[in-house]
Amino acid sequence: MVAAGGAENGLHRTIALFDVDGTLTVPRKTADKSTLDFLQELRKYVRVGIVGGSDQAKICEQLGANAPLEYDYLFSENGLVAYKDGKVLAIQSLKKHLGEDKLKELINFVLHYIADLDIPIKRGTFVEFRNGMLNVSPIGRNCSQEERDEFERFDLKTGIRKKFVGILREKFAHLNLVYSIGGQISFDIFPQGWDKTYCLQFVEADGYNDIHFFGDKTFEGGNDYEIFMSPKTKGHSVTSPKDTQHQCTALFIKPAEQIITPAAADE
C-alpha cells in the first residue's frame, strides 16, 4: 500500500494541520478516544500537525499530556511556540515585540472597557497573557461550561465581542494588531502575521508541498480564516470532530487503500 503522503523522497509530501476547539474537540473539552485513535491512524498516511490558539498547557489538557510527542508538529499560540517531534523549534514573545509600555496601555484599556460592559454575568480572568498573544474574555475564563454556552448565545444576538474588537481596532490602529474571534467566550490579540499562518514557515522549511488545514472558525474574523484562505494551504471547513474524521477519511485514507502496488497486482 502506498501512503497518501507519497514517497519520503521530498518530491511529494503531505501534511494535515488541525485546529483544536470545534475541530478535534468540543470547545474546551478533552478529545474523545475515537478522535485520538483516528489521528494516530491518520499518521500512517500523512504527517499530522496541531495548530491551536491556546497555550501548550491547554492543548495538552485537551489532547493528552504527551501531545508534543504524539504528533509530528504541535503549534500552540498559532505557532508562536513550535514543536517538532517533541522538541522545541522556536518561541516568539509578545512582550518583547510590543514593549511593556504599549502592552500596559492596551491591557489597561481592555480592563476599563470590560468593567463598564453591561452583560448578564462576569466571572474572572478577563485577560490572559500568553507568550505570543493576549486572550480577552468579556465574561471571564473562569466561567462554567453552562455559563460559556449562555454567553455564546448572548454574544450571537448582541455582537458583544464583535463590537469590542471594532473599538480596539480603531483605538490601537498604530500598533498593527490583529483581533481574532474564536471559541465561545473570547478573542485573541496579536501582531499582524502572527495568526495561524505563522506556523506554515516551519512545515514549508521541511519541504511539504501539499499542506491541508482543517478548522471550524474559517469565516472572516474567525481564528482559522487566514490559514484557511492562505494560497499555501488547501483549506477544509468542518463542523465537528466527527466531520473532521469523515473528511480526512475520504481525502487521505480511502484513496490510499484503493491504490494497488505492483507486487499486489501480481499476486
Side-chain angles (χ1 to χ4, degrees):
M1 182 175 71
V2 178
E8 291 295 330
N9 58 9
L11 295 178
H12 182 73
R13 303 179 68 205
T14 300
I15 185 168
L17 301 174
F18 296 92
D19 166 54
V20 180
D21 284 341
T23 301
L24 299 178
T25 74
V26 174
R28 291 303 306 136
K29 296 291 188 178
T30 57
D32 59 37
K33 187 176 184 299
S34 67
T35 297
L36 296 177
D37 289 346
F38 177 81
L39 290 173
Q40 294 307 314
E41 175 68 17
L42 186 63
R43 292 182 70 196
K44 298 177 182 179
Y45 301 88
V46 297
R47 294 290 182 255
V48 171
I50 307 300
V51 189
S54 297
D55 59 29
Q56 183 179 323
K58 287 187 174 61
I59 292 176
C60 287
E61 286 176 8
Q62 294 178 270
L63 299 184
N66 294 323
L69 297 171
E70 294 176 346
Y71 303 98
D72 301 287
Y73 298 86
L74 191 146
F75 300 114
S76 58
E77 301 183 48
N78 293 348
L80 281 261
V81 179
Y83 277 75
K84 176 185 176 183
D85 298 328
K87 297 179 181 179
V88 176
L89 278 177
I91 297 177
Q92 181 59 274
S93 167
L94 177 64
K95 181 173 68 175
K96 182 178 179 180
H97 180 82
L98 284 182
E100 288 290 359
D101 289 343
K102 293 177 181 177
L103 189 57
K104 183 172 68 173
E105 178 189 6
L106 175 60
I107 292 174
N108 284 346
F109 183 89
V110 166
L111 291 174
H112 279 293
Y113 185 92
I114 292 175
D116 294 334
L117 193 60
D118 184 18
I119 59 177
I121 60 172
K122 294 179 183 177
R123 293 300 178 248
T125 311
F126 301 103
V127 178
E128 185 174 84
F129 181 80
R130 300 175 182 172
N131 194 68
M133 68 178 71
L134 293 179
N135 179 265
V136 177
S137 175
I139 186 177
R141 298 192 65 87
N142 293 352
C143 60
S144 67
Q145 185 59 53
E146 182 181 358
E147 290 164 344
R148 279 174 171 267
D149 295 340
E150 290 176 0
F151 178 82
E152 183 178 32
R153 290 190 289 269
F154 178 76
D155 185 52
L156 286 172
K157 292 180 181 179
T158 60
I160 290 292
R161 287 185 291 176
K162 186 176 181 180
K163 293 175 184 176
F164 198 166
V165 162
I167 290 170
L168 289 172
R169 187 175 285 122
E170 181 178 349
K171 172 73 175 178
F172 294 96
H174 59 292
L175 296 184
N176 295 317
L177 298 172
V178 174
Y179 305 87
S180 182
I181 297 172
Q184 295 179 289
I185 62 169
S186 64
F187 59 89
D188 296 328
I189 305 175
F190 48 85
Q192 287 187 4
W194 288 21
D195 52 61
K196 288 184 178 178
T197 61
Y198 190 90
C199 77
L200 297 179
Q201 61 185 295
F202 302 110
V203 295
E204 284 185 301
D206 285 342
Y208 293 97
N209 60 358
D210 194 14
I211 304 171
H212 294 256
F213 172 78
F214 298 82
D216 67 314
K217 296 290 191 298
T218 56
F219 50 84
E220 188 170 3
N223 64 354
D224 297 325
Y225 177 75
E226 290 83 5
I227 190 170
F228 174 78
M229 294 296 295
S230 171
K232 297 178 180 180
T233 69
K234 296 177 181 177
H236 307 275
S237 186
V238 301
T239 58
S240 66
K242 286 188 176 181
D243 185 37
T244 300
Q245 292 184 39
H246 175 76
Q247 291 195 37
C248 286
T249 299
L251 278 167
F252 304 124
I253 297 178
K254 292 299 184 182
E257 291 177 347
Q258 294 168 7
I259 296 174
I260 301 176
T261 64
D266 292 337
E267 293 178 356

